[in-house]
Amino acid sequence: LDRTILLRYPRTRSSQDSDTATMKSFLLAPLLVTSTVAFSPAARSLAGVSSQQRSSLSMLPTNSNDEDRSFYPFPTTNTESSLSTSRLSAKPPKSNEEVSDGSADLRQLLGVKGASETTDIWKIRLQLTKPVTWIPLAWGVMCGAAASGNYHWIWNPLDPSGSDVMLGLEDTLKGFVGIILAAPFLTGYTQTINDWYDRDIDAINEPNRPIPSGRISEGEVIFQIWFLLLGGWGIAYGLDAWAGHDFPTVLALSVFGSFISYIYSAPPLKLKQNGWAGNYALGCSYISLPWWCGQAIFGELDRPVYFIL
């Protein structure tokens, strides 16, 4: 019967289009309803949600204010109060505060942050020189001595028969004096003068440091600067005499390095405020100059050494 009706009364094109549109409506309606419920800013019920999902949703923070139906966590009202409740309560640590892990005394002797606030003037003087920064200078002097080709070991494991104990002892002592020149004296001068010219900034950022805290007087700091500078120059001149130099090479290097250290920290140049010039000054002071010093003590400096370093 249906087939007969269809044959007798075939569908028109308009009726077919109407059926197609109806089928599309039936297919799209569930998707529209689902998306509307999912992104609704304030769902009125949890119908159709399982008990496990309902318990999970109940753990999410919700806005208890019925008048504010904003979608969490993007409130549309009471912005100021929401921000005030989300502020962190943590406080930043105090700058250069003494650590509580038992290493405060060692940090004080090395001249690093977290040091103990001692009143011993000699420990404070040592702290100003920052002994932790002596290591690259000592290493540079040893590398320069080895690069000279004239350093004699007390005992050479590669050639035990060619070792000269007395000459090796003399070179060892000479190298040790070179390390004393580069590390405690001239590096100590550099670090002390740097703290001296940064005392106003440290009074704000690191008030516990020796100079801004008043644990060492300004006169004592100035005396230490001149003592380390002139003492270093005296040691340098002695090394030139010991090495038999016609021209005081080590002294000239020491004077040049001291000048670089001064303009690095002191106004008006204050190279530390300039990226390129400050990096050059640091590289020259901590790498090139100690290497040249070690090589000049045991040998001669030639042009390739200056150009390479």
Side-chain angles (χ1 to χ4, degrees):
L1 179 60
D2 296 338
R3 185 176 181 182
T4 303
I5 294 173
L6 292 174
L7 290 174
R8 289 183 179 182
Y9 306 100
R11 294 182 179 180
T12 61
R13 185 174 185 85
S14 61
S15 63
Q16 292 178 355
D17 295 341
S18 177
D19 293 343
T20 303
T22 303
M23 292 298 295
K24 290 181 178 180
S25 299
F26 279 113
L27 292 175
L28 294 176
L31 297 176
L32 293 174
V33 173
T34 304
S35 61
T36 302
V37 174
F39 294 97
S40 176
R44 298 298 182 179
S45 64
L46 295 175
V49 181
S50 64
S51 60
Q52 182 178 1
Q53 293 173 332
R54 189 178 293 110
S55 62
S56 300
L57 291 174
S58 64
M59 298 174 63
L60 294 174
T62 58
N63 193 348
S64 59
N65 187 4
D66 293 336
E67 296 179 358
D68 184 10
R69 296 296 181 181
S70 59
F71 183 72
Y72 182 85
F74 306 106
T76 56
T77 60
N78 297 331
T79 306
E80 184 176 354
S81 61
S82 300
L83 291 176
S84 63
T85 56
S86 62
R87 291 173 183 169
L88 296 177
S89 59
K91 297 181 179 179
K94 295 181 180 179
S95 178
N96 207 35
E97 187 179 18
E98 181 178 343
V99 297
S100 57
D101 58 0
S103 63
D105 292 337
L106 179 60
R107 290 171 177 266
Q108 192 274 327
L109 294 177
L110 294 178
V112 297
K113 290 185 177 181
S116 61
E117 297 184 17
T118 182
T119 57
D120 189 333
I121 187 61
W122 294 107
K123 289 184 178 181
I124 294 174
R125 290 188 182 280
L126 182 63
Q127 182 181 0
L128 284 176
T129 63
K130 292 185 179 64
V132 71
T133 63
W134 298 354
I135 299 174
L137 281 298
W139 180 253
V141 172
M142 291 188 292
C143 290
S148 68
N150 295 323
Y151 183 83
H152 301 85
W153 300 91
I154 298 176
W155 179 73
N156 188 355
L158 300 178
D159 187 15
S161 60
S163 300
D164 189 333
V165 177
M166 296 306 298
L167 186 58
L169 287 174
E170 181 182 357
D171 285 358
T172 301
L173 182 59
K174 193 184 297 184
F176 178 75
V177 175
I179 293 175
I180 295 298
L181 162 66
F185 275 86
L186 295 186
T187 304
Y189 156 80
T190 301
Q191 298 295 342
T192 305
I193 199 173
N194 182 71
D195 277 16
W196 170 254
Y197 283 107
D198 283 348
R199 63 188 185 278
D200 294 333
I201 299 177
D202 291 340
I204 301 174
N205 298 329
E206 299 182 74
N208 294 331
R209 295 187 65 84
I211 297 177
S213 65
R215 287 184 286 122
I216 184 171
S217 66
E218 295 184 357
E220 291 172 329
V221 175
I222 295 175
F223 171 80
Q224 177 166 323
I225 291 173
W226 281 109
F227 174 81
L228 294 175
L229 177 63
L230 298 180
W233 288 356
I235 294 175
Y237 182 78
L239 285 171
D240 281 319
W242 194 353
H245 292 161
D246 296 331
F247 177 79
T249 308
V250 180
L251 177 59
L253 293 173
S254 300
V255 172
F256 175 71
S258 302
F259 173 73
I260 295 295
S261 301
Y262 177 80
I263 64 175
Y264 175 81
S265 301
L269 295 180
K270 207 163 191 177
L271 300 182
K272 64 189 300 183
Q273 296 179 345
N274 184 296
W276 288 99
N279 291 334
Y280 167 78
L282 285 178
C284 180
S285 300
Y286 279 84
I287 299 176
S288 300
L289 287 175
W291 184 300
W292 295 343
C293 176
Q295 186 164 345
I297 292 173
F298 297 96
E300 295 182 356
L301 297 179
D302 50 8
R303 291 183 179 179
V305 174
Y306 292 108
F307 294 147
I308 292 174
L309 297 179

